[in-house]
Amino acid sequence: MKVIVIGAGVLGVSVARQLALAGEDVLLLDQRGAGTGTSGTTFAWTNSYRRLDPDYHRLGLAGMEEHARLARQLPGAAAYFPSGALQWADAANEQWLADNVARLRSLGYPTHRVTSGEATRIAGDLRIPATITSLAHFPGEGYVLPDLFVRNLLADAERHGAAYVIGEVVEIEETPDRVSVTLADGTVRRGDRVVLAAGRWTRQLAARAGIDVPMVTDSRRGSPTVGLLGYVGLPGLDLRCVIHSPGLNVRPAGGGRAVVQALDLNAEVDPADPPSAGGDIASTLARRFSALLPEPVPAPDIDLRVGLRSLPADGHTIAGYAAGHSRVYCLVSHSGVTLAPILGRLAATEITTDQEQALLGAFRPTRFTGVRRSGAEVDHGATKLGEQ
């Protein structure tokens, strides 16, 4: 079977690798380069923390488990780290944290309260501010180095025979027995199936094939698709896990570097006029990060990246054929890093065997059929501790 995968982000590369492992003839296309879209601007925290829908929670758990299995199989330097995560709450967030710990414990999700001393040993080189009144540890969570993860997946896909080509897709056309993809240079590629995993570009590409994939596509200031990350380098920094604090989220980035995220600042970010390294937003991030360090240091330089999230209208993953007779398999998720390994394996299984996988049953694109756009959309705003 010839399968064309559109999009070499974390989802597209994951499914391309699984299809190649299954012996299929795989062509992976990307308009800019592997991992250069949303996958390159993600906090990359692996979790099933805020998946309130039971089906989505189960999928998140499966994604976390699949990461552990994949890490034992995938060649290359380690890109997945089951480090655990800590949440620190102040008086304003203490009840929020307590409620979530209780909810997750009732579901069997590993979590427990910890003391400041225990949290310090888990976190490494960070100081817990005096304003923090409650702390919880989530030992099953972790993080990914997304650039390295995508490179490792792509290299293994190519080792197993997948072809990788840079090219912008401008048209998808289905016939009863084939599907064709036209590139901007006029090249036409034909196959038996197409996997549409183009992240935030999925909706517009699907529309060219007459397929409606409801997504939030607004990228103006204040849109929930807009996210800001800061990259900080501090030689010798010993940061050991993911940290969520009231003012700043932090994760290790390897080599004495950290990624920082302040959810309340996202509403101030305009992708058309990105914040500067010396501006107010960068200064705020640097100040908040410095406040968590064990020793006073000058405000560090922060490299800012503005990301645009791949966001289905109802917030939940989309996985499946556009319709019962379609040859186009749609794959979109706001939780691409957590879910990439499991979505890649399950989607490849459905494509190669025509056997539906139970974990994906609730996430078909056909769930939007007959539903007005206003009825599908939910509030995706994340501005404070634990909401992301």
Side-chain angles (χ1 to χ4, degrees):
M1 182 190 302
K2 175 75 172 184
V3 185
I4 302 171
V5 180
I6 302 173
V10 67
L11 291 182
V13 176
S14 293
V15 72
R17 173 184 175 272
Q18 290 287 352
L19 288 165
L21 262 63
E24 305 300 342
D25 181 2
V26 179
L27 172 63
L28 176 63
L29 298 171
D30 196 272
Q31 63 177 335
R32 298 178 182 176
T36 57
T38 300
S39 296
T41 52
T42 171
F43 191 64
W45 162 45
T46 58
N47 71 94
S48 193
Y49 177 80
R50 287 292 293 168
R51 301 178 208 280
L52 303 182
D53 177 84
D55 290 318
Y56 208 19
H57 181 65
R58 283 190 290 271
L59 187 62
L61 293 177
M64 296 165 68
E65 293 169 1
E66 194 73 14
H67 264 291
R69 284 193 288 269
L70 179 59
R72 295 190 291 267
Q73 303 166 2
L74 190 63
Y80 163 66
F81 299 87
S83 63
L86 287 167
Q87 288 211 6
W88 306 349
D90 56 17
N93 296 285
E94 187 171 354
Q95 190 58 52
W96 168 278
L97 180 58
D99 290 345
N100 279 296
V101 167
R103 177 182 63 84
L104 289 167
R105 292 185 71 175
S106 72
L107 297 172
Y109 192 81
T111 178
H112 56 273
R113 307 294 282 271
V114 292
T115 66
S116 293
E118 291 169 330
T120 300
R121 289 191 292 273
I122 295 167
D125 286 344
L126 289 184
R127 180 180 65 85
I128 300 174
T131 54
I132 298 301
T133 57
S134 181
L135 306 100
H137 184 217
F138 303 84
E141 297 177 355
Y143 67 94
V144 166
L145 302 180
D147 294 346
L148 178 58
F149 189 51
V150 169
R151 289 201 301 272
N152 288 349
L153 288 167
L154 178 58
D156 205 40
E158 292 182 309
R159 261 192 299 271
H160 287 86
Y164 168 54
V165 173
I166 300 295
E168 180 184 358
V169 174
V170 296
E171 187 176 0
I172 303 170
E173 184 177 359
E174 286 190 81
T175 65
D177 58 350
R178 298 285 280 176
V179 61
S180 65
V181 169
T182 303
L183 305 184
D185 64 4
T187 303
V188 178
R189 304 282 189 156
R190 295 178 174 84
D192 301 292
R193 299 285 188 278
V194 161
V195 178
L196 186 49
R200 63 182 183 269
W201 296 279
T202 296
R203 187 183 183 199
Q204 66 189 58
L205 285 175
R208 294 173 188 174
I211 298 167
D212 182 27
V213 179
M215 296 179 65
V216 180
T217 56
D218 181 9
S219 60
R220 294 170 296 181
R221 183 195 302 269
S223 169
T225 64
V226 178
L228 180 71
L229 295 179
Y231 292 75
V232 188
L234 282 180
L237 177 68
D238 181 24
L239 178 60
R240 300 173 189 168
C241 72
V242 180
I243 307 293
H244 302 277
S245 77
L248 199 70
N249 298 330
V250 187
R251 73 155 170 86
R257 296 182 303 133
V259 177
V260 296
Q261 175 191 60
L263 297 173
D264 62 311
L265 299 182
N266 285 340
E268 302 177 27
V269 177
D270 183 355
D273 184 21
S276 65
D280 290 343
I281 289 179
S283 297
T284 299
L285 285 171
R287 184 175 65 254
R288 292 182 186 181
F289 181 66
S290 296
L292 301 182
L293 297 176
E295 300 293 337
V297 298
D301 292 332
I302 294 188
D303 175 26
L304 299 178
R305 296 187 195 174
V306 178
L308 294 173
R309 299 181 176 101
S310 173
L311 190 54
D314 64 0
H316 291 183
T317 292
I318 297 171
Y321 288 106
H325 61 279
S326 180
R327 293 177 175 271
V328 178
Y329 192 103
C330 301
L331 201 57
V332 190
S333 183
H334 175 40
S335 302
V337 167
T338 294
L339 300 180
I342 190 65
L343 290 178
R345 180 169 66 80
L346 295 181
T349 298
E350 293 195 330
I351 291 165
T352 57
T353 68
D354 287 328
Q355 298 295 313
E356 292 193 353
Q357 302 298 294
L359 270 176
L360 300 184
F363 304 103
R364 305 306 185 191
T366 50
R367 71 180 183 267
F368 297 107
T369 301
V371 177
R372 296 180 61 182
R373 177 66 184 265
S374 59
E377 288 188 355
V378 298
D379 181 8
H380 305 284
T383 60
K384 62 184 181 181
L385 177 70
E387 285 188 341
Q388 69 274 40

